[in-house]
Amino acid sequence: MKSLVKLIISAICILLYMQVIAQISPANVKNQGNVKSHSANTYSTTSGNQGNNSGAGSSGMNQDLGKECSMYFNDWTKASVTLTDGKYLSDRMVRYNIYNQQMEFVHEGDTAAFGDPEEISTVVLNGHEFIYRDFECEDEVNKGYFEVLVNGDCQLLLHRCIAFKYIEECSDPNTNFVKERYYLSEKYFISENGETAILLPNKKKEIIVMFENSDKDIKTYIKEHKIKIYKEEDLKDLISYYNSD
């Protein structure tokens, strides 16, 4: 009887172990792949050794998930905030929370967020201008913050979001060690005349088609100026040309 009980307990332990291994396998880390959802995918692991865990884990996750970043775009800094009703605020300490897609500010010693982002016209942080705009992705219209890279009738916009959140915990009950890592996704959009922003294609041919109805010879400009659409400065050059008289 005792042997049977031991056998059953052993089988249960093996099944539980297999489930844990399946949960922490990198194969179960799925890329968000688009910006329609701002909630990041989460990858968790538990280790009894803090040093070994942070060493091996950091290298692998950086390689697989892209660029590691902070959940904040900036530290607390005095910002220039222009509201849609024309009011101007310059006395707020503001930071951009990429993970939660919020502009946070300090009010009477507490951290708060602008309740209605659509009341914000622009936020300028350390020389970076941000707007809140509708955007289309995978046939859905969402809302989010964008950095304005080029202004004009056609705006070049950069959208940032956290694609992955990696949680590293220590199984030692005597410690509360928890380490979180965030991995950044950046995508470029254009918005003409303040309308819903559209994802900029990542192929030259598709960009040329997007602007084919304009009076600008985008195809020739790309060829003559050797525009690389994966380079931000080249994209800024291209959209500035498109906006030029």
Side-chain angles (χ1 to χ4, degrees):
M1 184 65 179
K2 290 183 178 179
S3 299
L4 179 60
V5 171
K6 289 181 179 180
L7 181 61
I8 293 173
I9 293 174
S10 298
I12 292 173
C13 290
I14 291 172
L15 288 173
L16 291 174
Y17 176 77
M18 292 176 66
Q19 288 179 356
V20 171
I21 293 299
Q23 289 175 357
I24 66 174
S25 170
N28 287 312
V29 180
K30 297 182 180 179
N31 195 335
Q32 181 172 296
N34 55 65
V35 295
K36 70 176 183 178
S37 174
H38 299 303
S39 58
N41 291 292
T42 303
Y43 180 90
S44 302
T45 186
T46 303
S47 172
N49 186 298
Q50 177 177 339
N52 291 340
N53 194 13
S54 61
S58 176
S59 175
M61 299 307 290
N62 271 316
Q63 186 176 22
D64 296 337
L65 303 183
K67 180 181 178 182
E68 186 173 351
C69 66
S70 167
M71 67 184 293
Y72 302 106
F73 173 77
N74 63 298
D75 294 326
W76 291 110
T77 184
K78 188 167 286 189
S80 300
V81 182
T82 304
L83 304 180
T84 53
D85 63 3
K87 292 181 180 178
Y88 179 76
L89 307 174
S90 60
D91 60 344
R92 301 288 177 92
M93 298 296 288
V94 178
R95 69 182 178 188
Y96 173 27
N97 187 324
I98 304 175
Y99 182 69
N100 291 320
Q101 286 294 300
Q102 293 179 331
M103 288 290 175
E104 300 175 344
F105 61 92
V106 178
H107 179 64
E108 296 181 352
D110 294 326
T111 299
F114 289 96
D116 186 0
E118 294 191 13
E119 294 181 351
I120 297 175
S121 177
T122 62
V123 178
V124 179
L125 299 169
N126 295 327
H128 297 266
E129 179 183 353
F130 291 89
I131 61 174
Y132 191 75
R133 180 66 51 84
D134 291 347
F135 67 92
E136 183 178 334
C137 187
E138 293 192 353
D139 300 323
E140 291 185 9
V141 176
N142 296 274
K143 299 175 184 291
Y145 283 102
F146 293 83
E147 182 179 356
V148 181
L149 301 180
V150 174
N151 245 319
D153 292 337
C154 180
Q155 292 176 306
L156 176 63
L157 307 173
L158 174 60
H159 181 81
R160 297 177 176 90
C161 69
I162 303 299
F164 294 98
K165 177 182 178 181
Y166 172 52
I167 303 175
E168 188 176 356
E169 300 177 354
C170 181
S171 60
D172 186 348
N174 297 318
T175 66
N176 294 319
F177 168 72
V178 175
K179 185 171 184 178
E180 296 180 352
R181 296 191 182 99
Y182 300 90
Y183 294 85
L184 185 67
S185 172
E186 297 181 320
K187 295 186 182 296
Y188 296 94
F189 286 73
I190 60 168
S191 173
E192 295 206 57
N193 301 312
E195 297 183 356
T196 299
I198 300 173
L199 185 65
L200 196 64
N202 56 10
K203 294 182 180 179
K204 288 182 181 180
K205 290 182 179 180
E206 294 178 2
I207 290 180
I208 291 170
V209 170
M210 176 178 281
F211 296 111
E212 65 181 356
N213 293 326
S214 71
D215 58 354
K216 298 295 174 62
D217 189 349
I218 297 296
K219 182 177 181 179
T220 299
Y221 190 86
I222 289 176
K223 183 178 180 180
E224 291 182 349
H225 292 78
K226 299 180 180 179
I227 296 294
K228 307 295 183 183
I229 61 172
Y230 55 84
K231 291 185 177 181
E232 185 174 294
E233 289 303 314
D234 284 10
L235 284 177
K236 290 165 68 174
D237 182 12
L238 181 63
I239 301 303
S240 294
Y241 165 72
Y242 177 73
N243 284 329
S244 62
D245 295 331

